[in-house]
Amino acid sequence: MHTGLRRIAVAATAATLAVGLAACGSAKQSSGSSGSSGSANQAVKIGLLLPESKTTRYEQFDRPLIEAKIKSLAPNAQIDYYNANQDATQQQTQVDTALTKGDQVLILDAVDSKAIQSSVQKAHDAGVKVIAYDRLAQGPVDAYVSFDNHKVGELQGEALVTAVGDKAGSGQIIMINGSPTDPNAADFKAGAHSAIDGKLKIGKEYDTPQWDPNTANQEAAAAITAIGAPNVVGVYSANDGMAAGIATALKAANLNVPLTGQDAQLDAVQRILAGTQTMSIYKPYKPEADAAGEMAVQFAQGQSLGSSLKPTTSTNGSGTKVDSLLIAPVVLTKDNIKSTVIADGLYTAQQICTPDYASACQAAGIQ
């Protein structure tokens, strides 16, 4: 995140954005039914381009929530959906397809923020608005909604420092950061370093292409061998997908040390209960998805963004200043699972408390 960017606290409910959340819906890949907005009496055609499916949040939460918000505001909107499967070239082709279909607005979560710049420019030249979703793409982006990503890293780093505690001077940590093509990963990394540097000794550090859990597993295993298992006192993982691979490597090495994460994936919540992961970052998807959907409909209807949707400005890698909504992340631990992911409807207690985790749930007061 850029220096001086004002951090905006947004509660983990759609009510904070002063807009309601409709029930989740879905649409078939690259398809939709066209129609007109009841309020604007004109077609609303929106392209939704998500980056990948290895991270469960995109298909399980972001997509249905965004589509539901759009439909609640423009019931007959056409939504053309694409998932790039972590392929930057494929995503560029998908942008071309969306433009050919006549989409007026693109909600774009870039695989590679730099590589997508020419596609963003192409959309701009065609008069199509581009909303950068979750990651700030380069080029003439019209709006951006995400979380305070530097703060995410800070919170992860602070949690790791606290969990390592008085063992800090007796060993080293491993840092496994996200993909070098994801601008968010750089923010997480910078935020984590701001909390960790000078407090914990970093033995090995990696930037993990495509956030791949298997690669993270291999990196962790190699680092444990290089440092020596008895000398490893903690692991920074930038997200939960990679934390799953890292946890496997730690188990193979007979290690149970503090491990961070992000995204509040179901398996991560279960690892937190079991004590094999220390924390995750819960990023409430509803307000992020609601904001993106509302921005898209406003743009498609020829309106400018409402003041509640642009409380700050971000500057992307190509120098464009972009109206932005940045949402505050929440630290997820064993103590607040019930009041966060369960209370917000992300998961039910039954989904979390499978037989393998029943006793851990009972101990944590989750029934």
Side-chain angles (χ1 to χ4, degrees), residues 10 39 46 60 87 138 188 212 215 240 244 282 284 296 342 352-353:
V10 180
S39 61
I46 295 166
Q60 189 173 355
D87 186 328
Q138 295 190 19
F188 303 145
D212 188 79
T215 302
D240 291 337
Y282 171 44
I342 293 177
I352 296 169
C353 301

Side-chain angles (χ1 to χ4, degrees), residues 160 164 171-175 196 200-204 227 233-234:
L160 186 60
V164 171
Q172 303 170 40
I173 67 161
I174 301 164
M175 283 195 75
I196 289 170
L200 299 174
K201 183 178 179 182
I202 301 167
K204 289 286 183 180
I227 296 170
V233 296

Side-chain angles (χ1 to χ4, degrees), residues 113-118 120-121 136-141 316-318 320:
S113 62
K114 184 175 181 180
I116 202 68
Q117 180 174 348
S118 60
V120 174
Q121 185 66 54
L136 184 52
Q138 295 190 19
V141 172
N316 66 12
S318 56
T320 301

Side-chain angles (χ1 to χ4, degrees), residues 13-364:
T13 62
T16 307
L17 297 178
V19 288
L21 179 67
C24 295
S26 63
K28 293 183 180 179
Q29 174 117 352
S30 301
S31 67
S33 60
S34 67
S36 60
S37 162
S39 61
N41 195 31
Q42 66 182 62
V44 170
K45 301 174 71 176
I46 295 166
L48 172 59
L49 300 100
L50 297 182
E52 45 103 349
S53 56
K54 283 185 180 179
T55 305
T56 59
R57 59 167 287 189
Y58 294 114
E59 294 292 336
Q60 189 173 355
F61 300 111
D62 298 271
R63 176 188 176 185
L65 288 170
I66 292 169
E67 290 176 340
K69 186 62 191 177
I70 291 170
K71 290 291 189 178
S72 74
L73 297 172
N76 297 316
Q78 172 179 314
I79 304 170
D80 295 315
Y81 174 70
Y82 309 86
N83 190 302
N85 298 311
Q86 201 61 265
D87 186 328
T89 301
Q90 182 178 350
Q91 190 168 63
Q92 290 173 315
T93 300
Q94 290 171 343
V95 170
D96 289 342
T97 301
L99 296 179
T100 299
K101 285 189 171 206
D103 289 335
Q104 304 148 302
V105 181
L106 305 182
I107 300 173
L108 172 67
D109 193 337
V111 173
D112 185 322
S113 62
K114 184 175 181 180
I116 202 68
Q117 180 174 348
S118 60
S119 296
V120 174
Q121 185 66 54
K122 187 181 295 185
H124 177 78
D125 292 344
V128 173
K129 299 286 189 179
V130 176
I131 299 165
Y133 182 76
D134 207 57
R135 299 170 181 167
L136 184 52
Q138 295 190 19
V141 172
D142 297 283
Y144 172 48
V145 57
S146 186
F147 291 85
D148 186 336
N149 296 316
H150 191 279
K151 187 65 176 178
V152 168
E154 284 182 14
L155 293 173
Q156 290 173 315
E158 288 167 0
L160 186 60
V161 169
T162 299
V164 171
D166 57 11
K167 293 183 180 179
S170 62
Q172 303 170 40
I173 67 161
I174 301 164
M175 283 195 75
I176 298 182
N177 305 303
S179 177
T181 61
D182 182 348
N184 287 4
D187 287 339
F188 303 145
K189 180 178 176 179
H193 271 287
S194 73
I196 289 170
D197 291 353
K199 297 174 184 173
L200 299 174
K201 183 178 179 182
I202 301 167
K204 289 286 183 180
E205 182 170 5
Y206 305 89
D207 294 327
T208 308
Q210 300 183 1
W211 297 88
D212 188 79
N214 294 325
T215 302
N217 170 269
Q218 295 162 11
E219 291 167 343
I224 291 167
T225 299
I227 296 170
N231 300 317
V232 177
V233 296
V235 183
Y236 169 83
S237 172
N239 81 348
D240 291 337
M242 296 194 305
I246 296 163
T248 300
L250 291 172
K251 184 177 180 181
N254 250 349
L255 278 173
N256 187 5
V257 297
L259 171 64
T260 67
Q262 175 185 184
D263 289 330
Q265 290 189 181
L266 178 58
D267 59 332
V269 175
Q270 292 171 327
R271 284 193 298 274
I272 290 170
L273 284 167
T276 56
Q277 184 169 324
T278 307
M279 56 79 71
S280 184
I281 295 292
Y282 171 44
K283 301 190 295 188
Y285 305 126
K286 290 179 182 179
E288 185 185 26
D290 272 0
E294 187 171 0
M295 287 173 174
V297 172
Q298 287 181 353
F299 279 146
Q301 293 177 344
Q303 303 171 30
S304 57
L305 295 182
S307 59
S308 65
L309 296 176
K310 51 176 183 178
T312 192
T313 301
S314 304
T315 303
N316 66 12
S318 56
T320 301
K321 294 187 182 300
V322 185
D323 286 333
S324 305
L325 178 67
L326 301 180
I327 302 166
V330 178
V331 174
L332 180 71
T333 67
K334 191 179 298 187
D335 295 332
N336 66 351
I337 289 171
K338 193 171 182 179
S339 63
T340 54
V341 295
I342 293 177
D344 288 350
L346 200 67
Y347 308 117
T348 65
Q350 289 72 26
Q351 287 175 303
I352 296 169
C353 301
T354 58
D356 287 344
Y357 300 96
S359 60
C361 280
Q362 187 174 9

